[in-house]
């Protein structure tokens, strides 16, 4: 583990900062106090600061030398609407809000990298430090993109990081390909003709059509999608008729659910096939089907070139504790919207053992302060390697690794 001395010296400050953010959790698009804190520290470090993208988003820009390459580093700032049940000195001071996903740690470690890089300036190029709001299902990344993030701050590559319990704090996983699933919703309405339950021949029964549809739904994953490609289709909501009217066949049945995939192709397949089965079941029973597929979050798929760069940086910090194989998560992360705009890589930083079995989104979860130094060191190494200063190459830099230089 190689953490620069400047970061080690800053750990007391960064740990206090992390705990302060933890004690004052804010939900998506409401990160007023947190974004104030972030902006103040960015300004103190001498960065150019832009606020307001995605309401509470903050971008700090650090430009050094005449290198033309530009990269974006993402931290998320939001907390979750849930109570913190574990007791700790820096426990949430806000009822029903807590940092149960470790975004407090992501914010602190990226600020740690900012403070170190602004002091040492051992690179040539431009870094945009992107502090995004509302990662937890509220669409913060998409809003920042829609507000012009990449028009204002074009990036040649963009990177994201998430803490991962179960990996040791001296471990990082940098894996090519899919990291997180797409997270989409679908809804459909079967429209028949309601009638007396004893006289089905006088109407068109949407419930029987719904049964046909549901019985065939899992054939999408079993018979259409490549067996080597993961996919999930679940029906999670079913509404029809009235339990107080058991002699009435209703006009309509509403069904909704979720779909998850790791590639754009499989995602397209799920969208198309659910609709095809719905229309097929409707046609079979002589009724109509209205179908909507709502694309919420695309999959996070690591770009090969960006992944190679992240891997080199990780190896310079974590050495042989850098994992290149790690299972993808069925959760989603809206970093995916950033990775649609520039080649992207998303890495997993060890958070140590799951204390008392508490994982992400558990009311006892806590980011591990021991991971702040390694995380800040990774961001620092990534910047210093990817935006390697030409003259610095003769001095070999603090870690000595050679890397890509396009300056
Ligand atoms: Zn989360
Ligand atoms: Zn998270």
């Amino acid at each position: 583990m190689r953490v620069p001395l400047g970061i080690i010296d800053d750990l007391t400050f960064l740990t206090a900062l992390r705990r302060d953010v933890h004690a004052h959790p804010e939900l998506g698009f409401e990160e007023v106090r947190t974004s104030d804190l972030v902006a103040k520290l960015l300004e103190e470090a001498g960065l150019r600061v832009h606020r307001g993208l995605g309401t509470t988003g903050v971008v700090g820009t650090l430009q050094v030398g005449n290198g033309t390459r530009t990269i974006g580093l993402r931290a998320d700032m939001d907390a979750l609407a849930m109570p913190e049940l574990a007791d700790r000195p820096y426990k949430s001071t806000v009822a029903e809000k807590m940092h149960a996903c470790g975004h407090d740690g992501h914010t602190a470690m990226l600020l740690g990298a900012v403070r170190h890089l602004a002091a040492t300036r051992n690179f040539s190029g431009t870094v945009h430090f992107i502090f995004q709001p509302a990662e937890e299902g509220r669409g913060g990344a998409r809003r920042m993109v829609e507000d012009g993030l990449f028009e204002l701050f074009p990036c040649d590559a963009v990177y994201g990081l998430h803490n991962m319990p179960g990996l040791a704090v001296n471990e990082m996983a940098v894996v090519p390909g899919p990291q997180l699933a797409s997270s989409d919703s679908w809804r459909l309405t079967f429209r028949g003709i309601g009638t007396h339950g004893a006289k089905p021949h006088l109407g068109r029964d949407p419930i029987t059509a719904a049964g046909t549809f549901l019985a065939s739904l899992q054939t999408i994953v079993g018979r259409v999608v490549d067996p080597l490609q993961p996919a999930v289709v679940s029906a999670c909501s079913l509404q029809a008729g009235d339990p107080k009217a058991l002699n009435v066949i209703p006009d309509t049945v509403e069904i909704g659910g979720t779909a998850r995939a790791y590639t754009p192709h499989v995602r397209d397949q799920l969208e198309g096939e659910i609709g095809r089965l719905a229309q097929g079941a409707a046609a079979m029973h002589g009724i109509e089907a209205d179908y909507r597929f709502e694309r919420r979050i695309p999959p996070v798929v690591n770009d090969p070139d960006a992944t190679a760069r992240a891997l080199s940086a990780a190896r310079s910090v974590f050495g042989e504790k850098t994992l290149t194989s790690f299972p993808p998560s069925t959760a989603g992360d809206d970093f995916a919207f950033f990775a649609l705009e520039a080649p992207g890589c998303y890495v997993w930083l060890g958070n140590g053992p799951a204390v008392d079995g508490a994982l992400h989104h558990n009311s006892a979860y806590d980011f591990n302060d021991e991971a702040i130094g390694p995380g800040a060191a990774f961001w620092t190494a990534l910047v210093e390697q990817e935006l390697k200063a030409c003259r610095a190459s003769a001095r070999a830099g603090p870690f000595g690794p050679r890397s890509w230089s396009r300056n």
Side-chain angles (χ1 to χ4, degrees), residues 373-390:
F378 166 72
W379 286 134
T380 299
L382 185 63
V383 170
E384 290 181 346
Q385 290 187 19
E386 183 157 351
L387 308 179
K388 191 161 189 164
C390 292

Side-chain angles (χ1 to χ4, degrees), residues 230-256:
V232 182
V233 178
S234 294
C236 303
S237 168
L238 178 62
Q239 314 286 331
D242 188 324
K244 295 189 292 298
L246 297 182
N247 55 355
V248 176
I249 292 172
D251 286 317
T252 60
V253 177
E254 294 182 358
I255 305 177

Side-chain angles (χ1 to χ4, degrees), residues 76 80 100-103 135-136 162 332 360-361:
D76 36 17
L80 286 149
C101 205
H103 300 182
E135 188 283 323
E136 298 286 4
H162 210 290
H360 296 137
H361 296 203

Side-chain angles (χ1 to χ4, degrees), residues 74-98:
R74 190 289 301 255
D76 36 17
M77 302 186 288
D78 58 320
L80 286 149
M82 56 184 285
E84 179 159 20
L85 296 184
D87 233 341
R88 43 182 69 103
Y90 48 90
K91 182 178 174 173
S92 170
T93 58
V94 188
E96 299 298 321
K97 294 179 188 175
M98 93 168 270

Side-chain angles (χ1 to χ4, degrees), residues 172-176 179 307 311 315 320-326:
M172 174 171 274
V174 183
V175 185
Q179 304 304 302
T307 305
L311 184 59
R315 284 194 168 130
E320 63 185 21
K321 296 289 188 180
T322 308
L323 313 180
T324 53
S325 166
F326 192 69

